[in-house]
Amino acid sequence: MERIGFIGLGIMGLPMAKNLLSAGFPLCVYDLNQSAVDTLVSCGAEACASPADVAAKSDRVVITMLPDSPHVKEVVTGENGILKGCKSGQVIVDMSSIAPMVSRELGALLAEKGVEMIDAPVSGGQEKAEKGTLAIMCGGKENIFESVKGILERIGASVALVGELGAGQITKLVNQMIVGVNIAVIAEGMALAQKAGVDPQKVFAAIRRGLAGSQCMEDKAPRMFEAKYDPGFRINLHIKDLWNVLETSRSLKNSVPLSAQVLEMMVALANDGFETKDHAALGLYYEKLNNVRLTTNN
């Protein structure tokens, strides 16, 4: 199998890289966190000295999984970035969740060296990263997508091409808008039930199979009832995604009032010290707002 480069071994990248190793792909890896690198080396990966080193040692595909736009830009264009080590014919698959404009900007820079780029952000959080069942939303040329699809299928249960470069990031922003608003209204509704003296768990049981039911409700309402807010998907990461929603929307003169409001709620939670909790912690926002408890031991 071809040797794949992997840069970014955080809460999502580490299990994704492990799944590629388990599938038999040789990996060369890089991260600022030496402990994460050591974990992958113990599983059979080769450690690299820099992103440029990863690109030089990879056969064709380099995957990046990083926190935000500035990190991806640094890894690609920095002093020892991918651009310094890449070669014509390679493909950079950026699985980070970043601003679509940045994906297109980096794609243009890579194209000058004959390197293709696919933006391929994911949805599913740490649990699905570990299970290899992420949803992967891709943007780029169809032939390049087809050439890396088999690799991505080792990481995700759903791998879809949605358009040209940057379209994957737009799709991820839409995903995060819908998820954020959905979780917020679940918390809002359950807080209303509790305030009215109706058991929120019985409300959940009554409506979960109807039109109001959703994967968000199935995953997040029980967390609220049990006060289990370990991630999952962290509030601070969802804040980053919603900032990208606002930045992108403003550049297009597009209005997103619901997403903007949910962003404000999440910023308030972060200021209360919950930035590393699961985004289901929107339940805590409504508990404080309405002076109620959603947990089972009220």
Side-chain angles (χ1 to χ4, degrees), residues 72-73 76-77 98 102-111 117:
V72 180
K73 290 180 77 169
V76 174
T77 67
I98 65 173
V102 173
S103 292
R104 291 166 180 160
E105 173 190 338
L106 296 177
L109 291 173
L110 289 162
M117 182 174 175

Side-chain angles (χ1 to χ4, degrees), residues 78-116:
E79 184 177 352
N80 293 301
I82 288 172
L83 282 170
K84 298 293 176 65
C86 63
K87 43 197 176 287
S88 180
Q90 286 186 307
V91 181
I92 308 303
V93 181
D94 179 37
M95 305 191 76
S96 320
S97 294
I98 65 173
M101 300 81 74
V102 173
S103 292
R104 291 166 180 160
E105 173 190 338
L106 296 177
L109 291 173
L110 289 162
E112 293 175 3
K113 295 198 69 172
V115 176
E116 298 286 352

Side-chain angles (χ1 to χ4, degrees), residues 152-176:
L152 298 180
E153 286 175 335
R154 305 293 185 162
I155 301 172
S158 169
V159 183
L161 179 68
V162 294
E164 297 180 353
L165 185 63
Q169 298 296 347
I170 291 290
T171 305
K172 176 62 185 287
L173 294 185
V174 172
N175 182 84
Q176 296 304 83

Side-chain angles (χ1 to χ4, degrees), residues 14-33:
L14 183 61
M16 291 162 67
K18 282 184 176 180
N19 285 332
L20 288 175
L21 282 170
S22 296
F25 288 100
L27 290 190
C28 48
V29 302
Y30 175 78
D31 195 278
L32 294 175
N33 181 351

